[in-house]
Amino acid sequence: MTVTIPDGVYPTMLTPFTADNRVDYAALEQLIDWYYERGVRGLFAICQSSEIFFLSPEEKLEILRFVMAHKPKDVTVVASGHTADSLPRQIEEAKRLIDTGIDAYVLISNRLAAEDEDDDVYLSRMAQILAALPEIPLGVYECPYPYKRLLSERVLSEMANSGRFRFVKDTCCDPELIRRRLAVTKGSGLKIFNANCATVLDSVEMGCAGFSGVMANFHPEIYVEMLACRKTDPQRAQLLQNFAGFASMAECQVYPVNAKYYLSLDGLPVTTRTRSRAEAELTASRKAEIRQMYAFTKEFEQRIGLTIPLIR
């Protein structure tokens, strides 16, 4: 398999909901455009930020079809939706989503083995999935829900040697572990995309392919610019990293409710309705924090000359 996933920023896409808890496709279309104007290289659709564990199989399929129909031509789409428990259902689910024409299908690491099951079980199930799925690039996401299963070096090596895998959404948040993972996957075509905001710049300098994290739902342009200028202006890149790492404390607030509120401040018709968190958790003081973060982000971008839309 010679297909590669382009380097860059891949936001973990949100799912907008209407006030009566339906998928808001009008808002989703504007959200796709919003990402694109901020220079992202791709989209990670039907992931945890999309609230996949709270979407029906039909909703996941319909959302992905909509994303594929409305994405700009030069945007790569990787997608998951891999939430079923049984292996036959996982395979059936994957085939339906792959049929939408996505560029890569992303498995969730904790779906391949339970918390008390070892890598032998994981690799056996992975082999069965590979045998059943069409020849499409695959990925793995170390999703923290319902439990986080980090990929061992043995599993990563098997993935790299299979020739099928091209994408890993890394959530280990450990630069030294990332360094070892890069050594294991070197030359295989398997790319690692870091999800940890505080280590993005260091990890890309080590050899990671880019960023795929939740803060790209607040200011993806910060990460796009960081990666774009890191070789020509390392001081600017470090300034952007400093801002990104500090701002990422918003992850610990009420995500994804706060991300949807942030987007509404930026003019998108996105409600704070979510299925995974209660809107009431975004209290008045927390809303004030997000408003202040939004205002400071805009002032910071103005001061460093970062304008939207970004030139692609």
Side-chain angles (χ1 to χ4, degrees), residues 229-262:
C229 73
R230 67 183 181 86
K231 292 182 179 179
T232 58
D233 193 343
Q235 186 174 3
R236 179 180 175 85
Q238 187 59 59
L239 178 64
L240 289 157
Q241 174 61 81
N242 293 346
F243 177 87
F246 175 73
S248 71
M249 288 189 288
E251 288 187 50
C252 304
Q253 204 205 48
V254 195
Y255 184 81
V257 183
N258 58 358
K260 293 182 176 184
Y261 182 61
Y262 186 99

Side-chain angles (χ1 to χ4, degrees), residues 1-5 135-137 163-166 188-189 191:
M1 184 182 296
T2 59
V3 177
T4 61
I5 302 299
E135 286 284 326
I136 182 176
R164 297 287 302 276
F165 288 90
R166 294 289 181 266
S188 68
K191 295 185 177 184

Side-chain angles (χ1 to χ4, degrees), residues 22-134:
R22 299 174 184 269
V23 178
D24 188 339
Y25 288 101
L28 180 57
E29 183 175 2
Q30 291 192 43
L31 179 59
I32 293 168
D33 292 340
W34 183 89
Y35 291 131
Y36 185 70
E37 289 173 356
R38 282 148 186 79
V40 305
R41 187 61 189 86
L43 299 170
F44 186 1
I46 320 299
C47 58
Q48 190 183 12
S49 288
S50 313
E51 303 182 71
I52 51 172
F53 290 94
F54 302 86
L55 297 172
S56 70
E58 293 74 22
E59 285 175 320
K60 287 186 286 188
L61 182 59
E62 194 59 38
I63 290 169
L64 190 52
R65 284 174 174 162
F66 186 90
V67 171
M68 294 304 295
H70 291 84
K71 75 172 187 71
K73 290 182 179 179
D74 57 341
V75 167
T76 297
V77 176
V78 304
S80 186
H82 179 228
T83 56
D85 293 321
S86 73
L87 199 61
R89 284 188 60 205
Q90 289 179 21
I91 291 169
E92 177 187 358
E93 190 173 54
K95 287 179 176 178
R96 294 176 71 202
L97 296 171
I98 288 169
D99 282 345
T100 63
I102 56 176
D103 296 286
Y105 182 74
V106 183
L107 303 171
I108 292 177
S109 58
N110 62 44
R111 300 290 84 198
L112 294 177
E115 198 164 4
D116 60 351
E117 293 178 321
D118 62 17
D119 282 348
D120 288 336
V121 174
Y122 185 102
L123 290 169
S124 173
R125 291 177 182 155
M126 185 179 82
Q128 292 177 66
I129 289 175
L130 264 60
L133 295 186

